[in-house]
Amino acid sequence: MKTDEIDSASRLSTDKSPNYSNEKQSHELAEYEDIDGLHRRLSNRQIQWIAIGGSIGTALFVSIGWGLVEGGPGSLFLGFLIYCSFLALANSCMAEMSVFMPVVGGWVRMGSKWVDEAYGFTAGWNFFLYEAVLIPFEISALNLVLTYWRDDIPVAAVVAACIVLYGIINLFAVRAYGESEFWLASGKILLIFMLFAFTFVTMVGGNPQKDAYGFRYWSHPGSFAEYLHKGTLGRFEGFLGAFFQASFTCVGPEYVAMVAGEAIYPRKTIKTAFKTMYYRFGLFFIMGSLCVGIILPYDDKTLVNVLNNEGTGTGASSPYVIAMKNMGISVLPDLTNALMVTSIFSAGNSYVYCATRTLYSLSIDGHAPRFLQKTTKAGVPIYCFCVTMIFPFLSFLSAGRAASEGVKWLANITQAAQLLDYIFMCTIYIFFYRALKAQGYNRDDLPYKGWGQPYVAYVGVVFFSVVLGIYGYTSLVTFDVGTFMTYYAMCFICVVLWVGFKVIKRSKFIKASEADLVWERPKIDAYEASIDPPLGLWTDIWQTVTMQKKKQHVV
């Protein structure tokens, strides 16, 4: 069958006769665009902007305040710098595998093909639960941010509106999702650069008080805050608090990998997205942490009261908005908060998409009920979508408690799952690397070669495992079962999933010489041979902005 696919691709690329009908061309193109029931319709600009939109959410604008309060500006900056440096290791692993095999489900399915079926089963359900729980997290955060304008906005009404809008966007073809995320992510980019400009202009004196405060808050009250204990131990624990906030805030590789199965010309568009991920780490996350530590002291009363829910609970919960109000700046806080609302909504939209596709990939591999493989004509996994949309209803829990409490609780329960994702990625790469070596592949011939391998993958496994083991240590200081479980529940769930699958299915680890490195490559090669290469990023954006008509041609 794979030989037939390759021959078909060859015919598509060589047959130039005038008798070759347009109808047959369209049929062949549709055949190769349809990968496992989904459609490759996400354009270059949509892929790059989804990579930005999926990685920037509530945490960078709101929850980051916890890191400032617990660790101070110095610890916050160092925590983000160090964590992003190690997150780049996971990106290197994921980039090489995804560009080589841009399949639906990304590393979730690679775990089943290259490591052990139980491993893929566990990785898939962990990622699905992680993404699904993040949906109500974002909706809860949206409610928190809306209280900036007024604190009597009905929480239930906001939740219901989000559910309806997520449903409308994700029920259309993937191209509609990509287009919505392109414009929503554009709002995020605008917001980030606006906040960077605000930080620079005000710190050099461009504020109503004409106060060139510079790095004042780094010396008073100080760069490193004490947390839980006093002295050196307290400052170290403050650093850990800021570092753990970074581990929740900084993401990226998983979202690029997840859209690989629906990207046009994936070996080019996905490779670009992964290569630029390193710049995003530095620009958005590291610079963002630096700015937060400049504009606000870690002991700011408003920030502390809002985060601890001891004050009015009204909602200037973002450090940026609080700083603007402290300086007596008008209008800009409202604009910032409005853009923040669209940014948080966009993040939730991305989680709906990723959770739906993850559940679909689990069904393809037989790790979820097969009825979930049902797709619409537009390529939307309809039943997977329906299951995913159950989770947003958890947001109604916010109606009975402070929104800030709900946000913190959901952040804790998902953080372990996020760290587990990177452990899975790096581990799968180690098996992938061994399979390449055992089967005689030359990595120099791969469409993308990750740097520093396989040592980067080994370091990544150790680093993320250590962070996972210690990030909930505060729950042990004054031990509480409920708090402990919110930190480590996903670890126990993953152990149960893996052991249960092993016992029931009796799966075995795959030998390096037997790992399937062919898999869907012939079909992907045939698809890429059937179309023109994609437009360049800025050309694609320009044609979109100027409303020029773009066509996809069969070669």
Side-chain angles (χ1 to χ4, degrees):
M1 182 177 177
K2 292 183 174 67
T3 303
D4 293 340
E5 290 172 347
I6 296 173
D7 290 342
S8 180
S10 177
R11 290 195 300 272
L12 276 171
S13 60
T14 57
D15 193 338
K16 304 293 183 180
S17 66
N19 295 327
Y20 194 87
S21 69
N22 290 332
E23 182 178 346
K24 185 174 182 180
Q25 287 183 1
S26 299
H27 174 75
E28 295 281 7
L29 178 58
E31 177 184 349
Y32 291 112
E33 279 185 337
D34 187 345
I35 306 293
D36 286 321
L38 305 184
H39 299 167
R40 291 195 180 276
R41 299 290 173 80
L42 293 174
S43 69
N44 194 7
R45 65 181 170 82
Q46 290 171 343
I47 292 293
Q48 310 313 319
W49 258 237
I50 287 173
I52 295 173
S55 61
I56 300 173
T58 307
L60 187 61
F61 304 119
V62 180
S63 305
I64 195 172
W66 284 104
L68 179 63
V69 168
E70 293 175 0
S75 291
L76 187 67
F77 177 71
L78 287 176
F80 273 71
L81 177 63
I82 294 171
Y83 189 80
C84 283
S85 299
F86 281 97
L87 186 55
L89 307 183
N91 189 70
S92 176
C93 297
M94 202 63 252
E96 185 173 318
M97 293 190 295
S98 288
V99 177
F100 176 76
M101 193 73 72
V103 296
V104 173
W107 85 95
V108 169
R109 298 181 65 204
M110 294 172 188
S112 296
K113 286 287 185 178
W114 299 338
V115 182
D116 171 28
E117 199 173 353
Y119 203 75
F121 174 82
T122 304
W125 279 104
N126 175 76
F127 188 63
F128 169 73
L129 292 173
Y130 164 61
E131 292 294 305
V133 171
L134 278 176
I135 303 170
F137 167 78
E138 295 296 339
I139 296 176
S140 296
L142 186 62
N143 269 304
L144 180 64
V145 171
L146 286 174
T147 58
Y148 167 76
W149 287 296
R150 51 189 299 172
D151 57 7
D152 60 346
I153 297 176
V155 172
V158 175
V159 173
C162 287
I163 292 174
V164 171
L165 291 174
Y166 287 155
I168 292 173
I169 293 173
N170 284 273
L171 275 176
F172 288 102
V174 68
R175 184 177 292 172
Y177 163 77
E179 198 62 30
S180 67
E181 276 304 295
F182 173 77
W183 293 107
L184 288 170
S186 296
K188 291 186 182 184
I189 296 171
L190 174 63
L191 173 60
I192 288 173
F193 282 104
M194 185 180 77
L195 295 176
F196 287 172
F198 159 76
T199 301
F200 177 75
V201 171
T202 57
M203 71 183 292
V204 298
N207 54 71
Q209 290 79 27
K210 309 297 182 185
D211 178 19
Y213 59 90
F215 285 84
R216 176 187 302 160
Y217 302 132
W218 285 59
S219 57
H220 181 75
S223 300
F224 301 96
E226 296 175 341
Y227 181 57
L228 297 182
H229 293 88
K230 298 292 184 180
T232 302
L233 176 60
R235 286 189 290 273
F236 177 68
E237 289 179 315
F239 165 77
L240 289 179
F243 179 80
F244 295 146
Q245 182 58 48
S247 71
F248 175 71
T249 304
C250 305
V251 295
E254 59 270 50
Y255 298 102
V256 179
M258 197 51 58
V259 300
E262 294 175 271
I264 66 168
Y265 221 99
R267 299 239 170 81
K268 184 171 182 178
T269 55
I270 294 299
K271 178 166 67 174
T272 301
F274 275 115
K275 289 173 70 175
T276 56
M277 188 66 68
Y278 304 106
Y279 302 108
R280 295 185 187 117
F281 291 156
L283 182 61
F284 298 141
F285 298 127
I286 298 175
M287 279 293 294
S289 67
L290 179 64
C291 289
V292 168
I294 290 174
I295 61 175
L296 212 60
Y298 66 77
D299 61 352
D300 181 88
K301 292 182 179 179
T302 302
L303 179 64
V304 172
N305 284 339
V306 170
L307 293 181
N308 290 316
N309 197 34
E310 295 175 357
T312 62
T314 68
S317 51
S318 167
Y320 295 103
V321 174
I322 293 172
M324 292 171 187
K325 295 184 71 175
N326 288 349
M327 297 176 195
I329 297 174
S330 59
V331 181
L332 189 58
D334 292 276
L335 177 60
T336 299
N337 217 65
L339 287 172
M340 208 176 298
V341 168
T342 62
S343 176
I344 294 170
F345 177 84
S346 168
N349 192 38
S350 294
Y351 300 144
V352 171
Y353 170 85
C354 287
T356 301
R357 268 50 178 187
T358 303
L359 187 58
Y360 182 69
S361 68
L362 285 167
S363 180
I364 291 175
D365 285 343
H367 298 159
R370 295 199 177 277
F371 77 88
L372 295 173
Q373 295 180 33
K374 171 70 175 178
T375 60
T376 64
K377 291 182 179 179
V380 176
I382 184 63
Y383 294 140
C384 292
F385 167 78
C386 292
V387 172
T388 298
M389 290 305 291
I390 294 173
F391 286 83
F393 286 90
L394 292 174
S395 306
F396 285 108
L397 294 174
S398 297
R401 67 179 70 183
S404 58
E405 182 183 347
V407 169
K408 188 68 174 177
W409 184 83
L410 290 172
N412 289 341
I413 203 170
T414 56
Q415 193 166 358
Q418 182 170 304
L419 292 167
L420 284 165
D421 288 336
Y422 300 133
I423 295 173
F424 288 137
M425 290 179 195
C426 294
T427 304
I428 293 169
Y429 181 85
I430 293 171
F431 281 81
F432 170 67
Y433 180 90
R434 291 175 177 174
L436 289 175
K437 190 174 182 180
Q439 298 182 29
Y441 280 76
N442 184 350
R443 290 182 63 241
D444 292 330
D445 296 332
L446 298 182
Y448 179 80
K449 180 181 178 182
W451 51 274
Q453 298 293 4
Y455 310 106
V456 157
Y458 286 112
V459 173
V461 170
V462 173
F463 172 78
F464 290 112
S465 297
V466 170
V467 176
L468 177 64
I470 66 174
Y471 92 103
Y473 82 96
T474 55
S475 64
L476 300 175
V477 176
T478 54
F479 185 75
D480 177 75
V481 175
T483 303
F484 178 80
M485 289 304 297
T486 61
Y487 279 106
Y488 291 106
M490 287 308 304
C491 297
F492 298 117
I493 290 173
C494 283
V495 170
V496 171
L497 289 174
W498 188 77
V499 172
F501 193 95
K502 276 289 194 182
V503 171
I504 296 173
K505 297 290 186 178
R506 299 186 180 278
S507 64
K508 297 180 179 180
F509 283 98
I510 299 168
K511 295 180 180 179
S513 59
E514 298 176 0
D516 188 356
L517 297 178
V518 176
W519 196 3
E520 293 188 2
R521 281 172 54 215
K523 195 168 185 178
I524 296 168
D525 292 341
Y527 160 71
E528 291 192 334
S530 69
I531 63 171
D532 289 332
L535 294 172
L537 175 60
W538 298 111
T539 301
D540 195 354
I541 292 175
W542 174 252
Q543 290 193 10
T544 299
V545 173
T546 57
M547 301 178 65
Q548 296 181 32
K549 189 176 181 180
K550 298 183 286 292
K551 294 182 179 180
Q552 187 178 35
H553 299 282
V554 179
V555 176

